[in-house]
């Protein structure tokens, strides 16, 4: 079967079957502009994801709501992400790059503006859900664009820049919101983000061009409906088990019911996708799992995300409840680790392009295990400087895992699976983060109730250490993968 090649709107060659030939060895200035715009936008939307956590206490007073109600500002955001991300594979294939970007940043900027002026809790919750819709689309869009535009030899270095958005932004969130809340009302958390969001939207509107060609794909409404109980049920059930339920001991019946519904719906969702693959119309194409390195990388990401989210939740608890630090001091203590993880990303990416994934992932997983094991030995008198040092060590270990896992996992996929592979990775990150948080916070709560906060913290970090041993095994299985060339690109 012969395939014609024609230039698209960005001047890039595109085959008539909708796939893109192997990228040239040098990136054009236009490609650099597109990726830079998407990187800035992704950084802003991910920063916003964690900015709210420190403010919940203040919002309870200002909006006159109780703790379980105010928690919905975080839970609602997470649920929306969990439901929207699985549909991004379809969205990215059906709409042009420009249209997807305008949709994502339009939703995010609109939600941010509404949050800044929201008169009460209900509208603020709606604003957060709108923001989450935009956030969910942004990361898969960035990943798919990088896979399409960046030559194989340079992918590690560019993917390393993605880790700045994924790592530094969440780490800066609590510090930024702590600084804002010290001097302004909670509304300014959104007032300060809005101009950056609008600027990214304006730059994208002016400079962003379409990459590849949109395909006419049929939307399976049953699959879309199934994402709500499947991914929403899983994330909600896990977050409720981990987040407490109005003083109840142990998991509540709502959390258990949500998990049962989530697992059952996920099974139906997977069977539906397998059936739809035969007609070339799945909402989320699971054939990406046919590639061994993609599967290993996704599993490695799951373990790393459980460790990362556990650390992000447990360390602030320890610093505030055991050591008595304020929210701003806690944010500042965790900032060096977040900055280290993000700023090392591009360096690790360039190393990956030279030496491949194995030396990096094995070193990273061993460092992660050692750091978490040391965290399990913290007591009420441990020096804060040592805690900051350990957190930097954990962050360095995670940085050595994330960039190689992303790049090794997505490299072997043929172009028509780029968007689906990115969506699968982003979805599993959300679910793994919720699962890690639920498991570790539950262990912390149960042991703390019986033996005190320090014992609870120790038990939770010891569990995280045991889980992270799986990362050492998975890291040893990582191999450098060739990119899928034009020969693999046809469906």
């Amino acid at each position: 079967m012969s395939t014609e090649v024609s230039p698209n709107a960005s001047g890039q060659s595109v085959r008539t079957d909708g796939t893109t030939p192997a990228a040239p060895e040098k990136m054009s200035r236009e490609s650099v502009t597109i990726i830079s715009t998407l990187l800035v936008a992704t950084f802003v939307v991910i920063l916003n994801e964690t900015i709210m956590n420190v403010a919940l206490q203040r919002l309870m007073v200002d909006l006159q709501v109780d703790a379980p109600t105010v928690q919905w500002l975080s839970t609602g955001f997470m649920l929306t992400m969990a439901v929207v991300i699985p549909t991004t594979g379809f969205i990215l294939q059906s709409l042009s790059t420009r249209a997807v970007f305008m949709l994502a940043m339009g939703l995010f900027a609109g939600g941010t503006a509404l949050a800044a002026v929201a008169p009460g809790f209900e509208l603020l919750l709606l604003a957060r859900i709108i923001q989450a819709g935009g956030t969910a689309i942004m990361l898969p869009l960035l990943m798919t664009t990088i896979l399409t535009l960046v030559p194989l030899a340079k992918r590690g270095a560019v993917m390393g820049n993605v880790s700045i958005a994924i790592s530094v932004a969440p780490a800066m969130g609590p510090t930024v919101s702590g600084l804002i809340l010290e001097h302004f009302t909670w509304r300014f958390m959104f007032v300060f983000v809005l101009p950056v969001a609008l600027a990214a939207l304006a730059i994208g509107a002016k400079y962003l061009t379409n990459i590849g060609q949109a395909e006419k794909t049929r939307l399976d409404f049953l699959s879309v409906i199934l994402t709500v109980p499947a991914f929403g049920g899983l994330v909600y059930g896990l977050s409720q088990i981990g987040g407490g339920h109005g003083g109840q001991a142990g998991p509540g019946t709502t959390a258990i019911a949500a998990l049962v519904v989530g697992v059952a719906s996920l099974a139906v969702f997977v069977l539906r996708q397998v059936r739809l693959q035969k007609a070339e119309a799945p909402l989320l194409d699971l054939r990406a799992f046919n590639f061994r390195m993609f599967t290993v990388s996704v599993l490695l990401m799951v373990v790393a995300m459980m460790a990362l989210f556990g650390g992000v939740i447990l360390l602030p608890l320890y610093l505030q409840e055991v050591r008595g630090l304020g929210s701003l001091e806690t944010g500042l203590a965790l900032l060096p680790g977040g900055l280290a993880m993000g700023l090392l990303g591009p360096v690790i990416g360039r190393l990956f392009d030279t030496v491949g994934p194995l030396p990096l992932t094995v070193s990273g997983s061993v460092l992660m295990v050692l750091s978490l094991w040391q965290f399990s030995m913290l007591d009420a008198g441990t020096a804060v400087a040592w805690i900051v040092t350990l957190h930097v060590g954990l962050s360095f270990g995670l940085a050595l895992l994330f960039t190689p896992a992303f790049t090794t996992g997505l490299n072997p996929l043929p172009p028509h699976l780029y968007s689906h592979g990115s969506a699968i990775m982003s979805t599993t990150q959300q679910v793994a983060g919720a699962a890690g948080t639920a498991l570790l916070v539950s262990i912390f709560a149960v042991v703390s109730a019986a033996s005190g906060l320090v014992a609870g913290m120790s038990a939770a970090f010891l569990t995280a250490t045991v889980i992270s041993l799986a990362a050492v095994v998975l890291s040893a299985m990582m191999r450098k993968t060739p990119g899928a060339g034009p020969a693999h690109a046809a469906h």
Side-chain angles (χ1 to χ4, degrees), residues 24 48 122 178 199 213 225 273 278 332 340 365 378 381 404 442 466 468 470:
N48 165 80
E122 290 78 8
Q213 290 179 336
I225 291 163
Q273 302 319 297
K278 292 171 186 164
L332 289 171
S365 56
L378 297 179
S442 297
V466 173
S468 63

Side-chain angles (χ1 to χ4, degrees), residues 139 166 301 305 406 424-434:
L139 188 59
I166 295 170
M301 292 284 294
M305 286 304 286
F406 270 129
I424 289 167
M425 275 204 166
S426 299
T427 305
T428 49
Q429 277 181 52
Q430 286 292 316
V431 175

Side-chain angles (χ1 to χ4, degrees), residues 275-296:
R275 192 174 152 206
L276 288 169
Q277 278 165 196
K278 292 171 186 164
E280 296 297 340
L283 181 71
L284 194 62
D285 200 324
L286 303 177
R287 281 174 292 194
F289 285 110
N290 292 342
F291 296 84
R292 185 168 177 266
M293 276 304 110
F294 178 81
T295 307
V296 172

